Amino acid sequence: SQSVDIHKDQLIFSEGDAGDCAYIIEKGRVLVFITKDKEEIPLSILGEGEFFGEMSLIDNQNRSASVRALEDVTLGIVTKQQLLERISTADTVVQLLMRVLLKRLRRNNMHSRGISRIGELQLENTGIGDDKTQSALDQIKLENQIFLAFQNKEFELFYQPIIELKSRKIVGAEALLRWKSPTQGLISPNVFIDVIENSSMVIPIGHWIINQALKDLKTIRDHLIANKKDKVADEFMMSINISGRQFTHTDFVNNLEDLREKHDLPTKNIKLEMTERIMMDGAIALDALHQCRAQGYAISIDDFGTGFSSLQYLTQMPISFLKVDRSFVMKVLSDPKSRAVVSSIIHLAHAMDIEIIAEGIETNEESIVLETLGARYGQGYLFSKPVEFSSFMKML
Ligand code: C2E
Ligand code: CMP
Ligand code: CA
Ligand code: CA
């Protein structure tokens, strides 16, 4: 990395300058100070390993203080881009916290200058109340609302049948989360699933989802067996959506096994649906995948064809099902290129002993084309929308 040598007593930058980079002290000590009537007011002495000059980069204002070398120093340079890249991808609440803390520090420095009466303070435009702050605060509010709703038992699982295209028989179901708000009615997961998945609530809520889906699977199996449909019961698969954070959490596999044993279910009737994004977690995810597979759970890759579908991952992941995303299914009739993509995905999957589920089938024509292309299973409004559990039971 880039570094610079500065001699004792040399000024590194002055208060009020525009900030272009920040520094890591590799050797020596510096003094951070502000001036009032040409008099230095010391704020801090920083030594090896310390970091300074970051504030003006983050809040895009001028240098909040001057910095001078107290002895010969060596400084590592951190570019504005390096910092901003990270900040821009940080959680919006973390961004908010940073703005609030910077504002406080700048105000504190003002106080150090001897401003002690309100009349001497200038109104700062720090952006509290702007759109960004508002959406960060909204995010926190939504998070709280969601967890409260969960605790108030306003969450419910709906089920959408998965069909064998040739026979049009139900061979399984996908559990889909719904929020039944007493004030707003039925709320789709698109509105809140990201908030859950990006916070630690994903662990208790994810646990509840698995427990509920397995409980319902038990009811389905008992019902089928009582009606002498043992073969259907034997093959019926319950698909449960699992997010990356949930899957790579320690104890995921143990907790899953505990719940499965509690409901007295075979692993082969349980399918874990996740996107390729979980592979971003590398070895941890791959290890959990292999553990699940070894126990006999089925693994299904969701939304295949969107995002960064990598053939490399297909060879690494021990999967048994692949869901062709609705964005392809939609275009399979009208767009020959999409049809070609779907056709290759299906061939590729079959060569790897992976079964295909086509998602979001809305018309009979789509269903027929997909079946012709070699898709064995399908799911979509043509067969049924996701419905509440009692309605799903009636469809069996
Ligand atoms: P997904 O896993 O890809 O689920 C399929 C979505 O497509 C569902 O939306 C389903 O209602 C919808 N869908 C099914 N057939 C059709 C169709 O023919 N046409 C159209 N236009 N849509 C169809 P939903 O239930 O709103 O769920 C949205 C997403 O939220 C899911 O996408 C999944 O990523 C996530 N999600 C839902 N439930 C859970 C859950 O329990 N856990 C986790 N981690 N994520 C969930
Ligand atoms: P920046 O505003 O870019 O330039 C001056 C730097 O001095 C600032 O970033 C911080 O790294 C540092 N700084 C400002 N105020 C203080 C303080 N009160 N105590 C310690 N360091 C400070
Ligand atoms: Ca899914
Ligand atoms: Ca999907």
Side-chain angles (χ1 to χ4, degrees):
S1 81
Q2 235 183 317
S3 58
V4 288
D5 290 313
I6 310 271
H7 290 301
K8 181 174 188 299
D9 293 331
Q10 200 183 323
L11 199 61
I12 298 162
F13 55 70
S14 303
E15 191 181 348
D17 288 352
D20 49 0
C21 65
Y23 301 93
I24 296 168
I25 304 174
E26 286 171 4
K27 195 190 91 198
R29 290 179 309 147
V30 301
L31 174 73
V32 181
F33 63 98
I34 50 179
T35 39
K36 190 199 176 196
D37 305 325
K38 298 205 174 132
E39 206 197 318
E40 276 186 22
I41 303 166
L43 291 177
S44 179
I45 292 173
L46 302 174
E48 220 173 281
E50 298 273 14
F51 187 49
F52 69 90
E54 80 294 345
M55 288 172 58
S56 56
L57 307 188
I58 300 172
D59 65 15
N60 213 20
Q61 296 185 37
N62 293 332
R63 294 289 191 196
S64 59
S66 305
V67 181
R68 176 160 57 77
L70 285 175
E71 48 203 58
D72 287 350
V73 295
T74 306
L75 303 174
I77 292 178
V78 179
T79 66
K80 189 168 186 169
Q81 192 191 343
Q82 281 179 307
L83 282 189
L84 295 190
E85 252 173 17
R86 285 169 175 79
I87 292 166
S88 65
T89 54
D91 182 277
T92 50
V93 175
V94 174
Q95 294 188 17
L96 165 70
L97 289 176
M98 242 167 36
R99 286 200 299 277
V100 168
L101 291 175
L102 277 185
K103 181 189 155 195
R104 292 219 181 107
L105 191 54
R106 279 191 186 268
R107 174 157 306 149
N108 219 35
N109 286 357
M110 295 279 265
H111 282 287
S112 308
R113 200 174 269 116
I115 293 177
S116 54
R117 290 189 300 120
I118 288 178
E120 294 175 50
L121 272 182
Q122 282 185 328
L123 184 65
E124 285 177 73
N125 183 12
T126 50
I128 298 296
D130 67 3
D131 284 357
K132 247 189 177 166
T133 310
Q134 211 45 54
S135 81
L137 289 175
D138 284 348
Q139 173 105 9
I140 295 184
K141 278 193 227 156
L142 185 60
E143 230 170 78
N144 293 342
Q145 271 177 10
I146 290 171
F147 199 66
L148 210 63
F150 170 65
Q151 288 176 319
N152 288 341
K153 304 196 175 2
E154 292 171 24
F155 283 179
E156 195 173 315
L157 288 183
F158 272 38
Y159 293 93
Q160 186 176 37
I162 295 174
I163 304 287
E164 187 184 42
L165 292 175
K166 197 160 134 201
S167 62
R168 297 266 168 128
K169 284 200 178 116
I170 297 177
V171 295
E174 176 174 7
L176 292 160
L177 190 58
R178 294 292 179 269
W179 175 3
K180 272 190 170 168
S181 157
T183 52
Q184 291 159 271
L186 206 60
I187 304 175
S188 139
N190 294 321
V191 182
F192 61 87
I193 201 77
D194 282 354
V195 180
I196 294 179
E197 291 185 347
N198 291 323
S199 88
S200 57
M201 338 184 235
V202 75
I203 304 303
I205 296 180
H207 189 267
W208 176 86
I209 291 170
I210 296 176
N211 184 53
Q212 189 62 41
L214 294 185
K215 186 173 163 219
D216 292 344
L217 173 61
K218 176 71 177 161
T219 308
I220 291 169
R221 280 174 57 84
D222 288 351
H223 170 86
L224 289 170
I225 291 167
N227 285 279
K228 304 245 172 336
K229 294 181 182 167
D230 290 68
K231 187 163 179 292
V232 187
D234 188 51
E235 287 168 4
F236 190 96
M237 283 192 141
M238 177 60 81
S239 299
I240 307 171
N241 289 288
I242 308 289
S243 72
R245 187 158 173 166
Q246 185 185 2
F247 189 60
T248 51
H249 189 259
T250 38
D251 283 346
F252 174 83
V253 186
N254 288 336
N255 288 336
L256 174 64
E257 277 289 272
D258 287 349
L259 290 173
R260 182 187 66 79
E261 277 163 21
K262 176 176 124 188
H263 295 292
D264 188 25
L265 289 160
T267 49
K268 75 175 175 73
N269 297 89
I270 301 165
K271 182 158 66 188
L272 308 174
E273 264 190 45
M274 49 198 102
T275 65
E276 293 156 291
R277 265 172 290 152
I278 63 141
M279 291 299 281
M280 311 253 281
D281 290 302
I284 301 174
L286 203 57
D287 186 53
L289 276 175
H290 282 289
Q291 279 185 51
C292 290
R293 200 66 196 113
Q295 298 282 352
Y297 292 96
I299 313 278
S300 171
I301 296 298
D302 208 350
D303 304 338
F304 192 78
T306 66
F308 58 93
S309 297
S310 150
L311 300 180
Q312 173 78 9
Y313 290 149
L314 266 193
T315 64
Q316 286 176 355
M317 298 170 78
I319 56 177
S320 30
F321 293 88
L322 201 151
K323 293 188 109 172
V324 177
D325 192 66
R326 184 176 120 74
S327 54
F328 290 105
V329 170
M330 272 169 79
K331 289 188 277 185
V332 86
L333 289 173
S334 59
D335 175 20
K337 285 186 184 164
S338 293
R339 193 158 57 236
V341 171
V342 172
S343 173
S344 342
I345 292 176
I346 294 176
H347 278 109
L348 195 68
H350 286 168
M352 299 171 121
D353 228 359
I354 297 169
E355 292 284 4
I356 293 285
I357 303 169
E359 283 194 292
I361 301 180
E362 293 188 350
T363 68
N364 201 33
E365 290 76 15
E366 285 167 358
S367 174
I368 289 165
V369 171
L370 286 157
E371 194 195 332
T372 315
L373 291 176
R376 178 144 180 217
Y377 303 108
Q379 184 181 351
Y381 294 172
L382 171 67
F383 312 112
S384 168
K385 287 198 167 185
V387 293
E388 28 186 283
F389 183 60
S390 59
S391 311
F392 182 78
M393 287 298 288
K394 287 183 196 128
M395 289 176 12
L396 279 175

